[in-house]
Amino acid sequence: MSGRRLAGPTTVLRPPLDAVAFGAEVLGEVMATYTRRRTRLVGLLVNLLLAVGWIGWSQWHPSRPEAFAAAHVGVLVVVWMMADVVNTNQLGADGEEVHALLDAGRGVARILAVRNLALATVIVPLALTVTLVAQALATRAPDLGRASLADVGAVFCWLGVGSVLSVLLPYRPLPWRARLALPRTWIRWATCVGAPWIAVLGLEPALRLADRTAAALGKGAPLAVGVLCWVLGLAGAALLARRHARALRHRLRMTE
C-alpha cells in the first residue's frame, strides 16, 4: 500500500519538474548567449545589417512603398540571418560542452531545443522590429499580425533546418590564423559554411509553396507550419544523431 501511495505523486510530479528543469536550461543558455557567446551576437548583428542593406536595395521602390512591407521583409531577414553557422553549427561551436552533455545522457533533441529557443529570443525581436519599420515605411501596409506570425514561423522553420545541419555538419570554429595554418580543414569548413545557403536555394520553392498555402489557410497558419518544421527538424536531428552517434562524437572533439 505504501509503495503504491508513493508511486502516484512521483508520477504526477515528473512532468512539471522536468518542465521547470528545461526552462532553467533555456534561461541559462539565454544568459550564456548574452555573456559568454557575444561573438555569435556580433555575427547575427552583422548578418542583420547585410540583410537590411540588401533587402532595402532590392525591394524598396520609392514610387511603390507598399511593396516593401508586402515583400515579407521580416521573413527575408530571418532567412538571411539564419542561413549562417550560428544556426547550423549549434553543436560544434561548443563541442566539448555538448560532448559532456551526451556523456551525461542528455539527448540531442533536448540539447538542440534548448539552444534553439535561446537563439529564438535573439532573432524573433530583431525580425519583428524589421517588420514594424517596414510597416511604417509602407503606405498601404498589410496585416501586421499576419506578418508578425509569419516572422516567428520563419524563425522556427529555419531552426528546424539548422538542427538537422548541426548534426550533419558540426565543426569547431577556429580563429582565422589557426584556420589558415590548417589547409587540410579548408574543404570541409567551406562545405559547412556554404551548406546553409545551399539549403536556402534548395528549399526556397517548397517554402514559397508552404507560405502561399499557409496564407490561404488563415493568419496563424504560417506560425503553425513553422513550429511543425521545427518539431520535424528536431526529430530528424535526433534520428541522425542516433544513427551516427560515433561519428558525431568524433566530430565534436576534433579540430577541422
Side-chain angles (χ1 to χ4, degrees):
M1 292 292 290
S2 60
R4 290 184 181 178
R5 289 177 183 172
L6 289 174
T10 303
T11 303
V12 172
L13 287 174
R14 274 180 185 169
L17 285 176
D18 193 57
V20 170
F22 180 78
E25 290 174 26
V26 174
L27 180 59
E29 187 66 25
V30 171
M31 294 177 65
T33 300
Y34 285 99
T35 55
R36 293 189 289 111
R37 297 168 184 157
R38 291 178 181 173
T39 302
R40 300 182 194 181
L41 289 177
V42 172
L44 285 172
L45 290 176
V46 169
N47 280 350
L48 173 64
L49 294 176
L50 292 174
V52 170
W54 176 75
I55 292 169
W57 175 78
S58 62
Q59 300 290 337
W60 173 250
H61 303 283
S63 61
R64 294 187 298 110
E66 71 279 0
F68 191 55
H72 287 304
V73 176
V75 172
L76 292 175
V77 168
V78 166
V79 172
W80 184 294
M81 290 177 65
M82 300 187 72
D84 183 83
V85 293
V86 174
N87 176 38
T88 60
N89 191 37
Q90 295 181 58
L91 300 180
D94 303 296
E96 293 291 342
E97 178 181 332
V98 173
H99 201 287
L101 290 173
L102 293 174
D103 287 342
R106 193 69 52 83
V108 165
R110 179 162 181 150
I111 295 171
L112 285 169
V114 168
R115 290 169 179 245
N116 284 176
L117 292 175
L119 191 56
T121 65
V122 179
I123 297 177
V124 166
L126 293 177
L128 294 179
T129 299
V130 170
T131 292
L132 286 173
V133 173
Q135 296 280 327
L137 293 174
T139 55
R140 294 196 304 273
D143 186 345
L144 178 60
R146 182 186 295 273
S148 300
L149 290 174
D151 290 347
V152 180
V155 169
F156 278 92
C157 180
W158 283 102
L159 284 172
V161 175
S163 293
V164 172
L165 291 177
S166 293
V167 173
L168 289 176
L169 296 171
Y171 79 96
R172 181 174 298 184
L174 294 173
W176 278 106
R177 289 185 180 180
R179 181 68 66 192
L180 291 173
L182 295 170
R184 62 179 175 78
T185 70
W186 294 353
I187 294 178
R188 189 171 189 280
W189 173 76
T191 300
C192 294
V193 173
W197 293 104
I198 296 174
V200 167
L201 295 175
L203 293 174
E204 184 177 9
L207 292 173
R208 286 183 180 275
L209 176 61
D211 181 59
R212 289 196 296 269
T213 303
L217 293 176
K219 183 182 295 187
L223 176 59
V225 171
V227 172
L228 177 62
C229 290
W230 178 52
V231 172
L232 292 175
L234 288 176
L239 178 61
L240 289 169
R242 286 195 298 270
R243 290 186 174 181
H244 306 285
R246 183 176 299 180
L248 176 60
R249 288 171 176 267
H250 176 67
R251 293 292 186 189
L252 291 174
R253 285 203 163 169
M254 71 180 297
T255 300
E256 57 179 358

